[in-house]
């Protein structure tokens, strides 16, 4: 009997029809917490054309060409730029959105900006918050932390998994070729031969016994033992995830565009689709989605327009697909970038690197949403903010918002601030911002 046929007939696993395939309602672990998605807009987006809109200032260089013919709009309590697909996005989601503006990455370097904005520290070594989520909430799930590109530092707390190739995932889930997609002959479609599989299984079991018999283990060996134990008990969950992934022609397809001499590529919808299925089947609790191309040193507006429209379309798809699969009430989404772009156009009609950026945090049915906090002036310079009131404060209680403030607040809100992993990588002497109060 094919494994999927067995799952469909099992009384313990309900199933629902989705887009021509059947999704087993499997949960690989008893994890009932939030499911975190961090979306990395790689290259440096232009927040003045998105969530921190800026009109042009008389006597200054033009900051935005859209401001020559339109004005700043507002959805609920959140201002946005009338640019790309922003209107539909902000009108639909402002009530589950917190915008944090005026975040200073303290750099114009992509390398430092990526590390700083996704770890909270401007030097290497600190884990991504998604890695902390996986290490704290469900470290032994088969693919507890999924990353599709960009920053994926784990600090040695867990491991991350790339899911760029669903066919390869199926081969790993069914290494002996017994999946529904095989040719009918397990030996023809096997990822490894029966002989090799027995050898692998023997080695895995022997290594686990050796580590268990060793008594006190070094941290690395202890983590490895946990992974071996998980591998021996998580096969069903990984196979359920593989079963849930639709055939290639039913997966969301990549999109490409050529604007002038610039080529753009996105798999954001597919990444969101695979992430939701991983969450649904209980094999994962956190994921990094990735969209590159935002480094628009030439032709800023056409490039940013395509990219921001693709970004908001991908986030919209993520939420809709999560609703379809019944996990939207657990979804927690963070969107950010390396930094921002200059408050003027260069000779190539592009914009260069600018250290001031923004984060967008999203969750359903929360009292802290439908707000924009932090502040920049008319030329997009960050202003000092009171961490308690979140109002502009030029006195001794005010401070510029840095990525460490955002990540410290995220850790606390997500319930991982006091986890062993977070204690190994603390934000000492860092103000507590009341973003989620």
């Amino acid at each position: 009997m094919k494994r999927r046929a067995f799952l469909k007939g099992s009384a313990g696993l309900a199933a629902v029809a989705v887009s021509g395939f059947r999704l087993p309602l499997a949960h690989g672990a008893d994890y009932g917490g939030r499911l975190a998605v961090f979306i990395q807009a790689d290259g440096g987006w232009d927040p003045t054309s998105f969530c921190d809109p800026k009109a042009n200032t008389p006597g200054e260089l033009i900051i935005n060409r859209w401001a020559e013919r339109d004005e700043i709009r507002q959805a609920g309590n959140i201002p946005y730029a009338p640019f790309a697909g922003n209107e539909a996005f902000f009108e639909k989601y402002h009530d589950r959105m917190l915008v944090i503006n005026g975040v200073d990455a303290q750099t114009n370097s992509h390398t430092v900006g990526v590390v700083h904005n996704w770890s909270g520290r401007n030097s290497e070594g600190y884990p991504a918050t998604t890695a902390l989520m996986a290490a704290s909430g469900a470290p032994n799930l088969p693919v507890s932390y999924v990353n599709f590109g960009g920053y994926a530092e784990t600090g040695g707390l867990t491991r991350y998994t790339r899911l760029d190739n669903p066919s390869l995932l199926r081969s790993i889930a069914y290494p002996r070729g017994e999946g529904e997609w095989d040719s009918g002959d397990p030996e023809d479609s096997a990822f490894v031969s029966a002989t090799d599989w027995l050898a692998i299984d023997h080695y895995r079991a022997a290594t686990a016994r050796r580590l268990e018999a060793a008594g006190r283990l070094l941290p690395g060996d202890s983590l490895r033992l946990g992974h071996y134990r998980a591998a021996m008990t998580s096969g069903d969950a990984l196979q359920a995830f593989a079963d849930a992934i639709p055939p290639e022609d039913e997966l969301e397809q990549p999109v490409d565009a050529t604007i002038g001499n610039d080529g753009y590529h996105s798999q954001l919808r597919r990444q969101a689709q695979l992430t939701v299925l991983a969450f649904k089947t209980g094999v994962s609790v956190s994921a990094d989605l990735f969209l590159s191309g935002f480094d628009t040193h030439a032709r800023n507006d056409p490039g940013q327009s395509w990219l921001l429209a693709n970004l908001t379309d991908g986030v919209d798809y993520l939420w809709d697909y999560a609703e379809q699969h019944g996990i939207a009430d657990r979804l927690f989404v963070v969107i950010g970038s390396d930094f921002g772009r200059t408050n003027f156009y260069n000779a190539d009609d592009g914009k260069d690197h600018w250290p001031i950026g923004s984060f967008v945090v999203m969750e359903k049915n929360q009292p802290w949403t439908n707000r924009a906090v932090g502040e920049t002036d008319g030329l997009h310079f960050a202003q000092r903010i009171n961490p308690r009131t979140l109002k502009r404060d030029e006195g001794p209680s005010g401070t510029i918002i840095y990525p460490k403030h955002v990540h410290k607040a995220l850790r606390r809100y997500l319930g991982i601030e006091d986890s062993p992993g977070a204690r190994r990588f603390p934000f000492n002497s860092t103000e507590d911002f009341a973003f989620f109060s």
Side-chain angles (χ1 to χ4, degrees):
M1 176 185 289
K2 299 286 187 182
R3 177 165 182 79
R4 190 178 293 181
F6 170 78
L7 290 174
K8 288 178 182 177
S10 172
L13 296 174
V16 293
V18 180
S19 302
F21 69 102
R22 296 185 66 83
L23 179 67
L25 299 180
H27 297 276
D30 295 328
Y31 176 82
R34 289 183 177 88
L35 303 166
V37 178
F38 282 44
I39 303 172
Q40 302 182 28
D42 187 69
W45 64 0
D46 188 353
T48 70
S49 290
F50 186 51
C51 60
D52 192 7
K54 298 300 173 188
N56 296 320
T57 300
E60 299 288 348
L61 295 174
I62 292 173
I63 187 170
N64 281 309
R65 300 204 189 284
W66 59 258
E68 296 178 305
R69 59 185 181 276
D70 211 332
E71 58 186 17
I72 294 170
R73 309 276 182 85
Q74 186 160 317
N77 298 316
I78 300 177
Y80 67 90
F83 185 80
N86 293 348
E87 181 176 8
F89 181 70
F90 282 89
E91 289 292 342
K92 182 175 180 178
Y93 290 109
H94 65 270
D95 63 347
R96 64 181 74 172
M97 184 184 299
L98 169 69
V99 176
I100 305 174
N101 289 321
V103 182
D104 188 356
Q106 299 177 287
T107 184
N108 285 334
S109 161
H110 288 296
T111 301
V112 179
V114 168
V115 171
H116 200 181
N117 274 289
W118 297 113
S119 74
R121 187 180 179 183
N122 61 7
S123 58
E124 294 183 355
Y126 264 44
T129 299
T130 33
L132 285 175
M133 278 283 292
S136 174
N140 292 326
L141 290 182
V143 289
S144 59
Y145 170 29
V146 175
N147 176 278
F148 290 94
Y151 192 75
E153 176 61 53
T154 67
L157 302 174
T158 186
R159 64 204 182 283
Y160 69 86
T161 303
R162 289 280 168 87
L163 286 182
D164 298 328
N165 189 335
S167 296
L168 184 59
L169 174 75
R170 294 184 182 113
S171 297
I172 294 171
Y174 289 103
R176 287 167 288 184
E178 67 270 40
E180 180 175 288
W181 46 85
D182 65 31
S183 65
D185 184 344
E187 289 301 317
D188 288 342
S189 56
F191 189 57
V192 295
S193 69
T195 301
D196 288 343
W197 178 255
L198 288 173
I200 292 170
D201 209 30
H202 175 77
Y203 175 82
R204 181 176 60 186
T207 303
R209 287 195 299 269
R210 176 178 60 79
L211 291 172
E212 287 174 337
R216 295 175 62 87
L217 297 175
L218 294 172
D221 285 336
S222 180
L223 184 64
R224 191 174 303 111
L225 177 59
H227 292 169
Y228 272 115
R229 286 171 175 163
M232 291 186 285
T233 59
S234 62
D236 287 351
L238 189 60
Q239 288 168 350
F241 176 38
D243 290 340
I245 299 174
E248 177 64 29
D249 61 354
E250 294 182 33
L251 281 169
E252 292 293 322
Q253 298 302 306
V255 293
D256 296 279
T258 301
I259 302 173
N261 297 323
D262 303 315
Y264 297 95
H265 175 80
S266 172
Q267 298 192 50
L268 198 57
R269 276 186 165 233
R270 177 176 289 204
Q271 294 172 16
Q273 184 178 27
L274 293 173
T275 295
V276 168
L277 295 177
F279 288 167
K280 176 69 175 185
T281 51
V283 298
S284 179
V285 301
S286 64
D288 296 319
L289 278 54
F290 182 77
L291 176 62
S292 64
F294 284 88
D295 197 21
T296 48
H297 289 282
R299 295 171 292 278
N300 179 80
D301 289 4
Q304 291 283 330
S305 179
W306 190 90
L307 289 160
L308 288 171
N310 189 275
L311 176 67
T312 56
D313 173 75
V315 177
D316 179 46
Y317 175 85
L318 170 69
W319 280 106
D320 284 349
Y321 203 60
E323 291 281 3
Q324 181 180 347
H325 291 290
I327 62 168
D329 289 339
R330 299 172 60 198
L331 199 61
F332 182 82
V333 178
V334 178
I335 314 167
S337 189
D338 314 10
F339 35 61
R341 309 212 71 79
T342 50
N343 53 8
F344 58 89
Y345 294 84
N346 61 27
D348 294 318
D349 214 24
K351 293 184 179 182
D352 300 318
H353 299 175
W354 186 252
I356 310 304
S358 301
F359 284 94
V360 176
V361 185
M362 302 178 72
E363 192 174 22
K364 290 183 65 177
N365 305 317
Q366 298 300 325
W368 46 264
T369 56
N370 192 19
R371 292 191 303 154
V373 301
E375 187 174 340
T376 56
D377 66 11
L379 295 178
H380 202 222
F381 286 89
Q383 304 300 296
R384 296 172 66 87
I385 302 297
N386 186 296
R388 183 177 58 85
T389 66
L390 301 182
K391 303 297 184 181
R392 185 170 174 177
D393 186 344
E394 295 299 332
S397 297
T399 179
I400 298 295
I401 301 174
Y402 299 111
K404 64 181 180 179
H405 295 121
V406 177
H407 283 274
K408 184 175 184 180
L410 288 172
R411 288 182 181 189
R412 178 167 297 177
Y413 182 72
L414 293 170
I416 58 175
E417 183 181 37
D418 294 322
S419 67
R423 288 199 299 269
R424 281 180 55 187
F425 300 95
F427 293 121
N428 295 324
S429 303
T430 299
E431 298 87 350
D432 291 312
F433 270 78
F435 296 130
F436 302 106
S437 296

